[in-house]
Amino acid sequence: MIHFCLAHMAYHLHCWLPRSRRLRLPRSSRYCRQPLLTNLVGNIIFTFFTIGFSVLLTQMEPVPQALKRIFAVFGVGSFGEGVCTMVLTVLATDCEKTTPELYYLSVLLSVSSLVSTVLFSGLGLIWLGSVACAQPDTKPMV
């Protein structure tokens, strides 16, 4: 309900201001050719899924196989979203002048995606090494 309350208050505060005092952004100078805003909306949607998975994974004991599979699909989607964020940010260097807040947020999300990808790649390699080098338990024959 807090989100509704904040939006409601913002609307009413905006209406109380005289029209001459309201903030207006020049549309032609605040334009970015890359869809960074759309990508940011995708990141926000992934954030909501992250919150949901965090709650589910910490509350369920044991975690069902179906949830583990869905979480793996979510991981692949999250990787794809990170790659899209990095590519769009690299292509959007002109947006640094027109929409700097959006551009720098995209840079931050790109760096965060890159760091988490490197982290999980390293963990995956360590896991693969432990599986490949594991010696089977041998029991003496009696």
Side-chain angles (χ1 to χ4, degrees):
M1 198 65 187
I2 186 70
H3 298 97
F4 175 80
C5 179
L6 290 173
H8 186 76
M9 286 182 354
Y11 170 73
H12 283 290
L13 287 174
H14 173 75
C15 290
W16 286 351
L17 292 173
R19 287 191 184 269
S20 61
R21 304 282 306 232
R22 293 182 187 173
L23 177 65
R24 294 199 179 157
L25 299 174
R27 295 182 192 273
S28 61
S29 67
R30 307 279 294 175
Y31 180 71
C32 179
R33 293 188 190 274
Q34 294 298 324
L36 293 181
L37 186 61
T38 306
N39 190 51
L40 178 62
V41 170
N43 272 299
I44 291 170
I45 291 170
F46 270 91
T47 301
F48 286 132
F49 277 106
T50 301
I51 293 168
F53 276 119
S54 298
V55 169
L56 286 175
L57 293 172
T58 58
Q59 297 299 315
M60 298 183 105
E61 189 77 28
V63 178
Q65 283 296 98
L67 183 60
K68 288 181 182 180
R69 288 188 189 110
I70 293 171
F71 189 61
V73 171
F74 172 74
V76 171
S78 179
F79 173 75
E81 175 67 24
V83 170
C84 288
T85 300
M86 285 186 260
V87 169
L88 290 174
T89 303
V90 167
L91 296 175
T93 54
D94 61 329
C95 298
E96 183 178 7
K97 294 179 182 103
T98 57
T99 53
E101 299 87 1
L102 184 59
Y103 176 75
Y104 289 123
L105 181 60
S106 291
V107 168
L108 178 70
L109 290 170
S110 296
V111 170
S112 300
S113 295
L114 183 63
V115 167
S116 64
T117 299
V118 167
L119 172 74
F120 280 103
S121 296
L123 289 174
L125 288 174
I126 291 171
W127 176 78
L128 277 175
S130 69
V131 169
C133 295
Q135 296 178 356
D137 291 336
T138 57
K139 295 182 182 178
M141 297 183 134
V142 179

